[in-house]
Amino acid sequence: MPPRPAQITARVRTSRTGVLTGRALRLWALNPRWSMAVKASVAAALAWYVGVLAPAPFSDYPYYAPLGAVIATSTTVARSVRETAQTTGAILLGVVIARLADAFLDPGALSIAVVVCLATLGAGWSRLGEMGAYVTTTALFVLVIGSGDPGDFVGAYAGLVVAGALVGIGVNFAFPPLPLSPSDVALDGLRDTLADQLDSLADGLRGDRPPTAEEWDDRRFAIRPVLEKSRAAVAYAGEASKGNWHARRYSAWSVAQARRSVMLEKHANLVDHLTNLLTETETQTARDPALGPDLRPPAADALAEYAAALRALEVSTDDSIPDPPTALQHAVDALRDAVREQRSRREGDFLAAGALVLGLDRALRSVGADADERRAEEEAGVDDVEGDGESQNGENGEEGGTTERLRP
């Protein structure tokens, strides 16, 4: 009996060539700057021919066309259109400043100083964004290089930069970036950082004594920079979908990724709150520690289960495995019961301990809602889009026949 197509595909993927190809495509998907460099080089080469084949005086300055092409291909489709418009405005403003200075001032140090001053002020115009730097560059080019034949130079410079930018926009539109894989890696990094922080807090509570303030500082993770990095990655991927003709094919991935970003940001705020609560109230020098020796072990268990629930939420899709919140539910209940028992047995301020229980209870509800939402997405067929991503990007699996799930 001849092998089935699925068997043939599996053999190809697990072969040495298939594994090496999969790794190469994985690296390509996770490094969008590589594809950006290829597109920029192609657009620059095409723009150069546009400049060379253009009629005089444009053909005398063909090297300005690749400049516009690089500007347009170094970003997303939507941003390339916006930055091309901003570049055009910056060039026109620079031309006006240089021509006015040339009309009223003799060439020399004074005219250059005036042009640079006015152009620098113009570059700060908010509507020009990051492209405002071209105001000064254009003004100096027109004043110094184009002084002999200002009309032809101005037309060639402005026209070729815009023409090159249009070529770049065309190349960008034909092969639009959609960096969903790097965004997922950034979100994975945030999830792992949050889980590691919770594990570190749990380890700090398992000792014979509470940590000192300095020891707690050593156990704190820099969550905010990781959160900002994931925000930027998801925002960039969202912007890349605008004007992207094949973004619709991956719309389910994009929606799920945006939802996951919101979910992890919620957990980041909660983990940060729990970290501050413990490091400020459960220290060796505190007169009345928030937990004490009897409550630290169940608190450590609850924090560890919260960390495990965060990790399991992203990797467990097998219905035979208990829901991630199940173990966390037991741990939080155990901590709540322990706090109640201690409150009935001795005097003391249990406000911080109660706040910890409330925080972990919020974590339980959040993880439970996230698990239900994840399951609903799977039942709705969100993950079916993965097959399209695989066919487009050739993102094959590693050894053992497992498939790496990569976005384009």
Side-chain angles (χ1 to χ4, degrees):
M1 180 178 180
R4 297 179 180 178
Q7 294 174 329
I8 296 176
T9 302
R11 290 176 184 176
V12 171
R13 287 180 176 177
T14 56
S15 66
R16 181 176 179 81
T17 302
V19 170
L20 292 177
T21 302
R23 288 177 176 175
L25 291 173
R26 175 180 172 81
L27 287 174
W28 179 268
L30 294 178
N31 293 275
R33 185 161 291 275
W34 294 356
S35 61
M36 183 187 299
V38 172
K39 289 189 295 183
S41 61
V42 171
L46 295 175
W48 167 263
Y49 283 110
V50 170
V52 170
L53 298 176
F58 297 93
S59 58
D60 296 333
Y61 309 94
Y63 35 83
Y64 290 123
L67 174 62
V70 172
I71 293 172
T73 53
S74 298
T75 182
T76 64
V77 175
R79 191 182 298 182
S80 66
V81 175
R82 181 174 68 250
E83 291 187 352
T84 296
Q86 291 175 334
T87 302
T88 303
I91 289 174
L92 294 177
L93 181 56
V95 168
V96 170
I97 292 173
R99 297 301 298 132
L100 288 175
D102 188 55
F104 294 100
L105 298 173
D106 294 330
L110 179 60
S111 62
I112 291 178
V114 171
V115 165
V116 170
C117 179
L118 295 176
T120 302
L121 292 174
W125 189 19
S126 60
R127 290 185 177 274
L128 298 179
E130 297 179 357
M131 300 297 106
Y134 285 96
V135 177
T136 307
T137 303
T138 300
L140 286 175
F141 276 11
V142 172
L143 183 67
V144 178
I145 302 176
S147 58
D149 195 358
D152 289 347
F153 179 81
V154 168
Y157 177 73
L160 287 176
V161 169
V162 173
L166 293 177
V167 172
I169 290 175
V171 172
N172 224 17
F173 183 79
F175 304 98
L178 190 58
L180 296 178
S181 292
S183 302
D184 266 353
V185 170
L187 290 174
D188 288 343
L190 175 59
R191 175 205 62 200
D192 293 341
T193 300
L194 296 179
D196 291 342
Q197 176 65 88
L198 291 168
D199 282 335
S200 180
L201 294 176
D203 290 341
L205 296 177
R206 295 190 191 280
D208 296 332
R209 59 169 180 81
T212 64
E214 292 75 15
E215 290 172 337
W216 273 130
D217 287 339
D218 293 338
R219 291 181 174 277
R220 293 182 74 105
F221 284 66
I223 295 177
R224 193 59 51 183
V226 182
L227 176 60
E228 294 297 332
K229 180 180 178 181
S230 66
R231 280 177 181 168
V234 173
Y236 184 74
E239 182 181 283
S241 64
K242 298 177 181 178
N244 193 322
W245 56 268
H246 76 115
R248 185 177 181 182
R249 185 181 185 185
Y250 300 96
S251 60
W253 282 104
S254 299
V255 170
Q257 188 177 89
R259 190 178 295 123
R260 183 187 179 205
S261 175
V262 173
M263 174 264 290
L264 285 176
E265 183 163 349
K266 176 175 59 178
H267 286 293
N269 292 328
L270 185 52
V271 170
D272 189 57
H273 167 69
L274 295 176
T275 302
N276 291 332
L277 177 64
L278 286 174
T279 57
E280 292 172 3
T281 61
E282 186 66 19
T283 63
Q284 189 175 357
T285 56
R287 295 180 57 185
D288 187 13
L291 300 175
D294 294 322
L295 294 180
R296 283 199 296 270
D301 292 340
L303 291 169
E305 290 300 339
Y306 183 15
L310 280 180
R311 293 191 177 99
L313 183 64
E314 301 299 330
V315 300
S316 176
T317 58
D318 188 345
D319 291 337
S320 65
I321 300 176
D323 289 344
T326 301
L328 178 57
Q329 175 75 70
H330 296 323
V332 173
D333 289 343
L335 176 60
R336 182 183 290 107
D337 293 340
V339 172
R340 288 173 177 169
E341 181 183 357
Q342 289 297 311
R343 186 182 289 121
S344 64
R345 290 174 52 187
R346 63 183 176 88
E347 296 290 334
D349 184 1
F350 290 91
L351 290 177
L356 178 62
V357 173
L358 288 176
L360 288 169
D361 196 52
R362 285 176 52 200
L364 174 64
R365 293 196 302 271
S366 297
V367 173
D370 298 333
D372 291 341
E373 190 171 278
R374 173 70 174 174
R375 189 178 299 105
E377 288 175 356
E378 291 173 359
E379 291 174 355
V382 169
D383 287 337
D384 291 343
V385 185
E386 185 177 318
D388 295 337
E390 223 176 318
S391 64
Q392 174 167 324
N393 297 289
E395 291 150 355
N396 298 319
E398 302 291 340
E399 295 90 345
T402 58
T403 302
E404 292 286 346
R405 301 203 299 178
L406 291 175
R407 280 64 170 173

